[in-house]
Amino acid sequence: MLDLIEELWFLKRDIVSDDFDRALYRLAGEVPNMKIHQYPTGEPCWTWRIPEKWTCHEAYLETLDGRRLIDYGDNPLHVVSYSLPYEGVVTRQELMEHLHVHPRMPDAIPFVFKYYDRDWGLCASQTLRDSLNEERYRVVIRSDFKPGTLKVGEVVVQGESQKTFVIVAHLCHPAMVNDDLSGVVVGLGAAKALLAGSQPYYTYRFLILPETIGSVAYLSHNEALIPDMVGGLFLEMLGNDQPHALQGSYMPSSQADRCLVSALGVLDPDSYCSPYRQVINNDERQFNAPGVRIPMLSLSRVERRSSPTWPYPEYHSSLDTPAIVTQERLEASKGIVLELIRSWERNQYVVNKFKGEIFCSGHGIWIDYRTNPEGHRRLFEIMERCDGEHSVADIAVELNIPFQAVWEVVEKLHSKDL
Amino acid sequence: MLDLIEELWFLKRDIVSDDFDRALYRLAGEVPNMKIHQYPTGEPCWTWRIPEKWTCHEAYLETLDGRRLIDYGDNPLHVVSYSLPYEGVVTRQELMEHLHVHPRMPDAIPFVFKYYDRDWGLCASQTLRDSLNEERYRVVIRSDFKPGTLKVGEVVVQGESQKTFVIVAHLCHPAMVNDDLSGVVVGLGAAKALLAGSQPYYTYRFLILPETIGSVAYLSHNEALIPDMVGGLFLEMLGNDQPHALQGSYMPSSQADRCLVSALGVLDPDSYCSPYRQVINNDERQFNAPGVRIPMLSLSRVERRSSPTWPYPEYHSSLDTPAIVTQERLEASKGIVLELIRSWERNQYVVNKFKGEIFCSGHGIWIDYRTNPEGHRRLFEIMERCDGEHSVADIAVELNIPFQAVWEVVEKLHSKDL
Amino acid sequence: MLDLIEELWFLKRDIVSDDFDRALYRLAGEVPNMKIHQYPTGEPCWTWRIPEKWTCHEAYLETLDGRRLIDYGDNPLHVVSYSLPYEGVVTRQELMEHLHVHPRMPDAIPFVFKYYDRDWGLCASQTLRDSLNEERYRVVIRSDFKPGTLKVGEVVVQGESQKTFVIVAHLCHPAMVNDDLSGVVVGLGAAKALLAGSQPYYTYRFLILPETIGSVAYLSHNEALIPDMVGGLFLEMLGNDQPHALQGSYMPSSQADRCLVSALGVLDPDSYCSPYRQVINNDERQFNAPGVRIPMLSLSRVERRSSPTWPYPEYHSSLDTPAIVTQERLEASKGIVLELIRSWERNQYVVNKFKGEIFCSGHGIWIDYRTNPEGHRRLFEIMERCDGEHSVADIAVELNIPFQAVWEVVEKLHSKDL
């Protein structure tokens, strides 16, 4: 996955842009069946409209004697995404109102975007900004806005059921890696693994899209699919050195929430779970929103909210480069996504064929309370909830034990045809 | 409102009595459309019956040598309401068994009533009682019980809907002001304001009646109206110098409870809310009772339950006079009643026309999280609950914020036709 | 009841055995209508099968020179229940693997059973075991396994309704008294009292059976009765010197749980209640299990779980003899069972004929708040919940007061036809 990141990370993947398309088509080459949805500029999407394609041909800041201080060619982050074009000489004070810096890291260029509330703008390090002591500067931003199409890539893994689990990652953060390319490659990796396996029970839809407007565009043009979408997971920030954070959906008692939350602890003992909107906000908002209400969780590697460097130190800056992600961590996250999916596949309502308590010793599942009182107690606690009205996740949540521990017992009962 | 109080307070407004009728007819003159319901003595009202009209023509306590110690003509409270007639000479000990005093205030005459479990009785100050050192006294109570009619005044403000909000105050406390005339004049003032405004959505019924039996009489004779009565508010003790106390109904999750409770804090920052029966008991009991179950709250100015002078020092005594109420406080309470009604009118289920999250910047409702993170968060928290299944009050209660704050956002969305 | 105990306690009442049958037929003689259900060896019962009848004809442990150390004739507990037969000379070490002792009491023979996971085994006191210093011993266990029938005794007290309350006790603990004969005689005593009284509203079924397999056998052969079984109580350990412990069912909000739990405190002020599986596990497990789900509680005299001698010092040992139970305590427990049944009979949904609040003084049920504020408050708290949607137990639980206190008020209203 790191190779794909190396190849694509520095592209200017603004929300509707040629480089976004280049990256998406390159990713499409990784799987046999990615469908690319296109939504033209101006198309209404519920309360939104698709914006124009934005291109920045050239941009720089110079002293009046031609010394170049900032050049878009060096780093796409030097220009505010969707900046208006501008050419002219400005006073230092005027410049300062349009020159964005990072609030915490003096040597980083910040990521700034003004998709709808537009202005012209440049970004630079605090260090560079502090060094500006001339009275006037020349600004050149040769950007334009043209009709184009917003694109959403979709990989479908058809299951036995039309009931669908949606996995989403966004691709629109130019020249950055952990946020957001890491989520894209982990998601795509999981999709490839699923395609290579036997047919799952649920159908899975993997979506790669520009943040927010991409989700709104897709959902508003696929309303008929929404009722079948019974759960989802948003992926992002999965290469950096932090524990996994699972953010619950707007509907914390949904089967998706219960299942994934009860399964995570075993998969990463350092992980933690937080309620909706308490880890970080992304596309899961559109899926959880009124009129949609798909319980979509999110998985990321994010510092605790109280940390001064939340969500991670290099967030939304030019320091979010391949240097802060590792193949090992990406693989670990992919493994966790696949294990969460495995639990989700196993999360059925446990229908008892038996009545009364099971004749455990007669079926070889007896755990002696004299030698293993805890195991004995748990066996009975689980068995007595196998009544057709509890899912595996319901039992796990009710007993406050891992999904996997419940599954182990249920699987044993199932194998004995009980 | 204070002028009406000055005019009517000293009347002997016992539950069925000529002075009650006088006061009620005088109040009827204040509004164009008060209907006076009459229920004759003996009329069955569910498990109750209408009592006789009680009149006390004359009453006094004298020494045997004719020195008058107590005279009903000085203050109606000197005779127990619904006292049996009595004339004769009694020993001091006999007298003591029939002479009621205030447990806390030595110079106040207490308000004592024996509507159903009758006896003869006088009331006096502790000071006077302590001075009684003769062996025998002459008692004269020339009261009688005759057929009459219990009267209930009703002002209806017809709304677009038959769904009704009921506002109730009782008028039957003779020669007292804060309890109960203050609630009557505030309620009537609110009714006048509503009649003067544009047609409301809900229908409002303002009832002025004798306590308990008045409510039972009205409800038992208007059972067909009960199913439409979706909320209510009882008013009393609104002129004294205490913060507003809003007492919840028997059904604390009713829309009436949620709406009024979430709206009050903004209207009076010193106010407090307590559950059903935890502030003070009045007619709202009949409306909340089995077989009726109208969620009726109550608004009053009452000390905290733990106070030794709860509900207020002069309660049920001859010190409850115009001296302890002010026009300013009555006006403030009327304003709060009208604001609570305004919130109630606004408490609709918020049906989203939008799906997904709203394109806020595109509709001019964006709040930048960089400059106003709290406002931004709240905007989204409210928007994501606008789903046709939450009323404005539901959202306020769920987010633990004022009704008015939710309304502000909802109104903005509404004005944008979202 | 103690006479029955004296007569039957020392029988070898293993789960399917001639002495179990003897004891059961003897008990059948105490009531006019006990039905004996028989389930033959090998009969499938849901996931279980009826085991063989077990008989131990003779068993002993001897030194090689013929000194008898243990003799089954002295105490049935000397042989593991359902021990395989064995005859031969064994080394001391081999013997130790098959000679069970009590973990805590050096002079007690423990009760050990291996109904399904079989082996040969003897039991002795720790003292005896410590004295074994020879190299080899002779073991003789002349037991056999033959086809037989498991028996369940059933006494039915037919009520007006088919809705049934089940009372269960097990009889299969050989040569022990508090666990389990005490529960049997208390249950049978209660059944006799019920048969002697007027017809109850509910039907009552008293079951005497071998633990676990007896319940499974009965339930699996009477599935049609299960839907009518709306509550139940398991009885055991009712003669020893401990407070009563009422263990809730798997469904803590069932009417059976609410009623019995709210009624117990008045009947035994030293009693306590604990949730399902938190006092001690017995046949109530089969009744509460998936596919059955009858809310069955249990009543016993059991030390708190934290006690080192839980459930009571002599539990499952040869010290559980008539010496630790008294007729007085058995009578007290029977009285409590009957009082719990009386509450259960009274636990109806309280349908109000009245509307509004009741005219209390008019119906002679007024409690003056000036003389008895607590009683006044409670009267009103109860009355306002008499709405056809609360049972007596619901009101008791909601107000956290005894069942009997609610009943007193409800009975008074009922007697006034309100």
Side-chain angles (χ1 to χ4, degrees):
Chain A
M1 294 181 279
L2 201 49
D3 51 344
L4 264 174
I5 285 177
E6 298 279 5
E7 181 181 343
L8 302 176
W9 80 278
F10 208 64
L11 287 173
K12 311 173 190 75
R13 294 172 274 108
D14 300 280
I15 53 176
V16 181
S17 65
D18 290 333
D19 266 13
F20 183 95
D21 297 355
R22 259 174 219 121
L24 186 60
Y25 282 106
R26 172 63 190 84
L27 293 165
E30 290 287 302
V31 283
N33 64 341
M34 188 184 290
K35 177 165 180 189
I36 309 289
H37 300 271
Q38 306 203 23
Y39 307 101
T41 296
E43 173 94 352
C45 301
W46 290 337
T47 63
W48 300 67
R49 278 178 190 279
I50 302 293
E52 306 91 332
K53 181 175 82 169
W54 181 74
T55 312
C56 184
H57 302 282
E58 181 183 25
Y60 53 83
L61 176 72
E62 284 185 345
T63 55
L64 293 193
D65 57 0
R67 190 161 46 92
R68 195 155 290 197
L69 301 165
I70 288 174
D71 194 325
Y72 183 59
D74 297 338
N75 194 315
L77 295 178
H78 274 311
V79 177
V80 166
S81 187
Y82 276 68
S83 169
L84 295 173
Y86 189 83
E87 289 192 46
V89 171
V90 296
T91 64
R92 189 170 63 196
Q93 185 177 341
E94 268 181 286
L95 176 60
M96 289 302 166
E97 285 161 15
H98 293 265
L99 182 61
H100 306 273
V101 298
H102 196 280
R104 196 169 28 77
M105 298 187 296
D107 294 323
I109 311 163
F111 170 43
V112 179
F113 48 91
K114 300 209 166 202
Y115 302 137
Y116 306 106
D117 190 16
R118 291 173 188 164
D119 195 358
W120 70 264
L122 296 172
C123 299
S125 70
Q126 181 71 46
T127 308
L128 182 134
R129 180 170 149 151
D130 289 347
S131 73
L132 299 177
N133 47 23
E134 313 230 347
E135 280 313 292
R136 304 169 82 83
Y137 293 89
R138 175 181 311 279
V139 169
V140 172
I141 302 176
R142 296 212 175 98
S143 65
D144 64 36
F145 296 84
K146 290 190 175 157
T149 64
L150 179 152
K151 294 185 184 63
V152 174
E154 178 181 35
V155 177
V156 179
V157 182
Q158 181 63 45
E160 293 171 35
S161 164
Q162 280 308 108
K163 297 285 170 204
T164 303
F165 191 86
V166 198
I167 295 173
V168 179
H170 57 62
L171 178 65
C172 63
H173 284 25
M176 284 172 287
V177 172
N178 193 47
D179 177 13
D180 53 3
L181 208 41
S182 71
V184 172
V185 298
V186 166
L188 203 63
K192 285 163 77 169
L194 242 66
L195 285 166
S198 56
Q199 191 186 25
Y201 174 75
Y202 291 100
T203 292
Y204 292 81
R205 291 179 187 273
F206 293 82
L207 301 176
I208 301 173
L209 39 68
E211 190 172 358
T212 304
I213 180 66
S215 291
V216 173
Y218 177 85
L219 285 168
S220 63
H221 285 76
N222 290 281
E223 290 200 13
L225 296 178
I226 293 175
D228 274 334
M229 293 179 168
V230 290
L233 186 64
F234 176 84
L235 301 175
E236 184 187 75
M237 305 180 188
L238 291 169
N240 58 319
D241 189 14
Q242 293 289 339
H244 287 93
L246 185 64
Q247 176 179 270
S249 83
Y250 177 76
M251 291 140 279
S253 62
S254 79
Q255 287 298 319
D257 285 70
R258 291 175 174 217
C259 177
L260 273 52
V261 167
S262 66
L264 182 68
V266 167
L267 305 175
D268 177 1
D270 297 329
S271 66
Y272 65 96
C273 297
S274 287
Y276 187 53
R277 289 184 179 277
Q278 299 302 307
V279 176
I280 194 161
N281 290 334
N282 277 291
D283 290 89
E284 76 287 341
R285 285 164 47 169
Q286 306 313 316
F287 289 81
N288 281 294
V292 187
R293 294 294 195 228
I294 299 163
M296 181 175 282
L297 296 89
S298 81
L299 184 73
S300 48
R301 294 170 175 268
V302 165
E303 293 179 7
R304 301 280 175 164
R305 199 93 196 201
S306 54
S307 163
T309 56
W310 173 89
Y312 60 99
E314 304 85 0
Y315 174 70
H316 277 197
S317 85
S318 58
L319 299 183
D320 188 344
T321 70
I324 67 164
V325 307
T326 71
Q327 177 70 13
E328 187 187 17
R329 290 195 291 261
L330 294 168
E331 292 284 356
S333 294
K334 188 180 83 176
I336 283 179
V337 170
L338 288 169
E339 283 299 321
L340 291 176
I341 288 174
R342 188 200 302 264
S343 294
W344 175 249
E345 286 279 316
R346 287 172 167 175
N347 186 37
Q348 298 147 36
Y349 282 83
V350 187
V351 180
N352 51 318
K353 295 189 187 169
F354 62 92
K355 292 185 182 184
E357 284 192 351
I358 294 173
F359 180 26
C360 291
S361 45
H363 292 90
I365 54 175
W366 176 255
I367 298 173
D368 197 313
Y369 61 89
R370 286 163 289 214
T371 56
N372 182 358
E374 174 66 14
H376 174 86
R377 188 173 58 80
R378 186 170 285 185
L379 171 65
F380 276 89
E381 284 177 343
I382 294 170
M383 279 197 306
E384 81 186 359
R385 285 165 176 83
C386 295
D387 58 4
E389 293 180 15
H390 290 79
S391 70
V392 178
D394 290 339
I395 298 175
V397 168
E398 197 170 316
L399 296 177
N400 194 22
I401 58 176
F403 182 94
Q404 293 85 347
V406 179
W407 172 252
E408 212 175 292
V409 169
V410 169
E411 174 59 17
K412 204 174 274 176
L413 299 187
H414 188 67
S415 72
K416 305 283 181 181
D417 197 33
L418 290 166
Chain B
M1 293 181 280
L2 202 49
D3 49 344
L4 264 174
I5 285 177
E6 299 279 5
E7 181 181 343
L8 301 176
W9 82 277
F10 208 64
L11 287 174
K12 311 173 188 75
R13 294 172 273 108
D14 301 280
I15 53 176
V16 181
S17 65
D18 290 333
D19 266 12
F20 183 95
D21 298 353
R22 259 174 220 118
L24 186 60
Y25 282 106
R26 170 64 189 87
L27 293 165
E30 291 288 302
V31 284
N33 63 340
M34 188 184 290
K35 177 167 181 187
I36 309 288
H37 300 271
Q38 307 203 21
Y39 306 101
T41 295
E43 173 95 352
C45 301
W46 290 337
T47 63
W48 301 66
R49 277 178 192 278
I50 303 294
E52 305 91 330
K53 182 175 82 169
W54 182 75
T55 312
C56 184
H57 302 283
E58 179 182 27
Y60 52 84
L61 176 73
E62 285 184 345
T63 56
L64 294 192
D65 57 359
R67 190 163 44 94
R68 194 155 292 197
L69 302 165
I70 289 175
D71 193 327
Y72 184 59
D74 296 339
N75 194 316
L77 294 179
H78 276 310
V79 177
V80 167
S81 187
Y82 276 69
S83 168
L84 294 173
Y86 189 83
E87 290 192 45
V89 171
V90 297
T91 64
R92 191 172 61 198
Q93 187 177 338
E94 267 180 286
L95 175 63
M96 288 301 164
E97 285 162 14
H98 294 265
L99 182 62
H100 305 273
V101 298
H102 196 281
R104 195 168 29 75
M105 296 186 300
D107 295 322
I109 311 163
F111 169 42
V112 179
F113 48 91
K114 299 210 167 203
Y115 301 137
Y116 306 106
D117 190 16
R118 293 174 187 163
D119 196 358
W120 68 266
L122 296 171
C123 300
S125 70
Q126 182 70 47
T127 308
L128 184 134
R129 180 171 151 151
D130 290 346
S131 72
L132 299 177
N133 46 22
E134 316 230 345
E135 281 313 293
R136 303 170 84 83
Y137 292 90
R138 175 181 311 280
V139 170
V140 172
I141 302 176
R142 296 214 174 98
S143 65
D144 63 37
F145 296 84
K146 290 190 177 157
T149 64
L150 180 151
K151 295 187 184 59
V152 174
E154 180 181 34
V155 177
V156 179
V157 182
Q158 182 63 45
E160 293 171 36
S161 164
Q162 279 310 108
K163 296 285 170 205
T164 303
F165 191 86
V166 198
I167 295 174
V168 179
H170 57 63
L171 178 65
C172 62
H173 284 27
M176 285 172 287
V177 172
N178 193 45
D179 177 13
D180 54 0
L181 206 44
S182 71
V184 172
V185 298
V186 166
L188 203 64
K192 285 164 77 170
L194 242 65
L195 285 166
S198 57
Q199 191 187 25
Y201 174 73
Y202 291 100
T203 292
Y204 292 81
R205 289 179 187 273
F206 293 82
L207 301 176
I208 299 174
L209 38 69
E211 190 172 358
T212 305
I213 182 65
S215 291
V216 173
Y218 177 86
L219 285 168
S220 63
H221 285 75
N222 291 282
E223 290 200 14
L225 295 178
I226 294 176
D228 274 335
M229 292 180 168
V230 291
L233 186 64
F234 176 83
L235 301 176
E236 184 187 74
M237 304 181 187
L238 291 169
N240 59 318
D241 189 13
Q242 293 290 339
H244 286 94
L246 185 63
Q247 176 179 270
S249 84
Y250 178 76
M251 291 141 279
S253 62
S254 79
Q255 286 300 318
D257 284 71
R258 291 174 175 218
C259 176
L260 272 51
V261 167
S262 67
L264 181 69
V266 167
L267 304 175
D268 177 1
D270 295 329
S271 65
Y272 65 97
C273 297
S274 287
Y276 188 52
R277 289 183 178 278
Q278 299 303 306
V279 176
I280 194 160
N281 290 333
N282 277 291
D283 289 90
E284 75 288 342
R285 284 163 48 168
Q286 306 312 318
F287 289 80
N288 281 294
V292 187
R293 293 294 195 227
I294 298 163
M296 181 176 283
L297 296 89
S298 82
L299 184 72
S300 49
R301 295 170 176 268
V302 165
E303 292 180 7
R304 301 279 175 165
R305 198 94 197 201
S306 55
S307 164
T309 54
W310 175 90
Y312 61 98
E314 303 84 2
Y315 174 71
H316 277 197
S317 85
S318 58
L319 300 183
D320 188 345
T321 70
I324 68 165
V325 308
T326 70
Q327 177 71 12
E328 187 186 16
R329 290 197 290 262
L330 294 168
E331 292 285 358
S333 294
K334 187 180 83 173
I336 284 179
V337 170
L338 288 169
E339 283 300 320
L340 291 175
I341 289 174
R342 189 201 300 265
S343 293
W344 175 251
E345 286 281 314
R346 287 171 168 174
N347 185 37
Q348 298 147 37
Y349 282 84
V350 187
V351 180
N352 51 318
K353 296 189 186 168
F354 63 93
K355 293 185 182 183
E357 284 190 351
I358 294 173
F359 180 27
C360 292
S361 45
H363 292 89
I365 55 175
W366 176 255
I367 298 174
D368 197 312
Y369 61 89
R370 285 162 292 213
T371 57
N372 182 359
E374 175 66 13
H376 174 85
R377 187 173 59 77
R378 187 170 284 185
L379 171 65
F380 276 89
E381 283 177 343
I382 294 170
M383 279 198 305
E384 80 187 358
R385 287 165 174 82
C386 296
D387 57 4
E389 295 180 14
H390 290 78
S391 70
V392 178
D394 291 338
I395 297 175
V397 168
E398 195 170 318
L399 297 177
N400 194 22
I401 57 177
F403 182 94
Q404 293 85 347
V406 179
W407 172 254
E408 211 176 293
V409 170
V410 168
E411 174 60 15
K412 205 175 275 177
L413 299 186
H414 189 65
S415 72
K416 304 285 181 181
D417 196 34
L418 289 166
Chain C
M1 294 182 279
L2 201 50
D3 49 344
L4 265 174
I5 286 177
E6 298 278 5
E7 180 181 344
L8 300 175
W9 80 278
F10 208 65
L11 287 174
K12 311 173 190 77
R13 294 171 276 106
D14 301 281
I15 54 177
V16 181
S17 65
D18 289 333
D19 266 12
F20 183 96
D21 297 354
R22 258 174 220 119
L24 186 60
Y25 281 106
R26 170 64 188 86
L27 293 165
E30 292 287 304
V31 282
N33 62 342
M34 187 184 290
K35 178 166 180 188
I36 309 288
H37 300 272
Q38 305 203 25
Y39 306 100
T41 296
E43 173 94 352
C45 301
W46 289 337
T47 63
W48 301 66
R49 276 176 191 280
I50 303 293
E52 306 91 332
K53 181 175 81 170
W54 181 74
T55 312
C56 183
H57 302 283
E58 181 182 26
Y60 54 83
L61 176 72
E62 286 185 344
T63 55
L64 293 193
D65 56 2
R67 189 161 46 93
R68 195 155 289 197
L69 301 166
I70 288 176
D71 193 326
Y72 183 60
D74 296 339
N75 194 316
L77 294 179
H78 275 310
V79 177
V80 166
S81 186
Y82 277 69
S83 169
L84 294 173
Y86 189 83
E87 289 193 46
V89 172
V90 297
T91 63
R92 191 171 62 197
Q93 185 177 341
E94 267 181 288
L95 176 62
M96 290 301 164
E97 285 162 15
H98 293 264
L99 183 61
H100 306 272
V101 297
H102 196 280
R104 197 169 28 78
M105 297 187 297
D107 294 321
I109 311 164
F111 171 41
V112 180
F113 49 89
K114 298 209 165 204
Y115 301 137
Y116 305 107
D117 190 15
R118 293 174 186 163
D119 197 358
W120 68 264
L122 296 172
C123 299
S125 69
Q126 181 71 47
T127 308
L128 183 135
R129 180 170 151 152
D130 290 347
S131 73
L132 299 177
N133 46 21
E134 314 231 348
E135 280 312 293
R136 304 168 82 84
Y137 292 90
R138 175 179 310 278
V139 169
V140 171
I141 302 176
R142 295 211 174 101
S143 66
D144 64 35
F145 295 84
K146 289 188 176 159
T149 63
L150 179 151
K151 294 186 184 60
V152 173
E154 180 181 34
V155 178
V156 180
V157 182
Q158 181 64 44
E160 292 170 37
S161 164
Q162 279 310 108
K163 296 286 171 202
T164 303
F165 191 85
V166 198
I167 294 175
V168 180
H170 56 64
L171 179 65
C172 62
H173 284 26
M176 284 172 288
V177 172
N178 194 45
D179 178 13
D180 53 3
L181 207 43
S182 71
V184 172
V185 298
V186 167
L188 203 63
K192 285 164 77 169
L194 242 65
L195 285 167
S198 57
Q199 190 185 26
Y201 174 74
Y202 290 100
T203 292
Y204 292 82
R205 290 179 187 274
F206 292 81
L207 301 176
I208 300 174
L209 39 69
E211 190 173 357
T212 304
I213 181 66
S215 291
V216 173
Y218 177 86
L219 286 168
S220 62
H221 285 75
N222 290 283
E223 291 201 14
L225 297 178
I226 293 176
D228 274 334
M229 293 181 168
V230 290
L233 185 64
F234 175 84
L235 301 176
E236 184 186 76
M237 305 181 187
L238 291 169
N240 58 318
D241 188 13
Q242 293 291 338
H244 286 94
L246 184 64
Q247 176 179 270
S249 83
Y250 177 77
M251 290 139 281
S253 63
S254 78
Q255 286 300 319
D257 285 71
R258 290 173 175 218
C259 177
L260 273 51
V261 166
S262 67
L264 182 67
V266 166
L267 304 176
D268 176 2
D270 296 329
S271 65
Y272 65 97
C273 297
S274 287
Y276 188 53
R277 289 183 179 279
Q278 300 301 307
V279 176
I280 193 160
N281 289 334
N282 276 291
D283 288 273
E284 76 286 341
R285 284 162 49 167
Q286 306 312 317
F287 289 80
N288 281 295
V292 187
R293 294 295 195 228
I294 298 163
M296 182 176 281
L297 296 88
S298 82
L299 184 72
S300 48
R301 294 171 176 267
V302 165
E303 293 179 5
R304 301 279 175 165
R305 198 94 197 200
S306 54
S307 164
T309 54
W310 175 90
Y312 61 97
E314 304 84 1
Y315 175 70
H316 277 198
S317 86
S318 57
L319 300 183
D320 189 344
T321 70
I324 67 165
V325 308
T326 70
Q327 176 71 11
E328 186 188 15
R329 291 196 290 262
L330 293 168
E331 292 286 357
S333 293
K334 187 180 83 174
I336 283 180
V337 170
L338 287 170
E339 283 299 321
L340 291 175
I341 289 174
R342 189 200 302 263
S343 293
W344 174 249
E345 286 280 316
R346 287 171 169 176
N347 185 36
Q348 298 147 36
Y349 281 83
V350 187
V351 181
N352 51 317
K353 295 188 187 168
F354 63 92
K355 293 185 183 183
E357 285 190 352
I358 294 173
F359 179 28
C360 292
S361 44
H363 291 90
I365 54 176
W366 176 255
I367 298 174
D368 196 313
Y369 62 88
R370 285 162 290 213
T371 57
N372 182 358
E374 175 66 15
H376 174 86
R377 188 173 59 79
R378 188 171 284 184
L379 171 65
F380 277 89
E381 283 176 343
I382 294 171
M383 279 197 306
E384 81 185 359
R385 286 165 175 83
C386 295
D387 59 3
E389 294 180 15
H390 290 79
S391 70
V392 178
D394 290 339
I395 297 175
V397 168
E398 196 169 315
L399 296 177
N400 194 24
I401 58 176
F403 182 92
Q404 292 86 346
V406 179
W407 172 253
E408 211 175 293
V409 170
V410 169
E411 174 59 16
K412 203 174 277 177
L413 299 187
H414 189 65
S415 72
K416 304 283 182 182
D417 197 35
L418 289 165

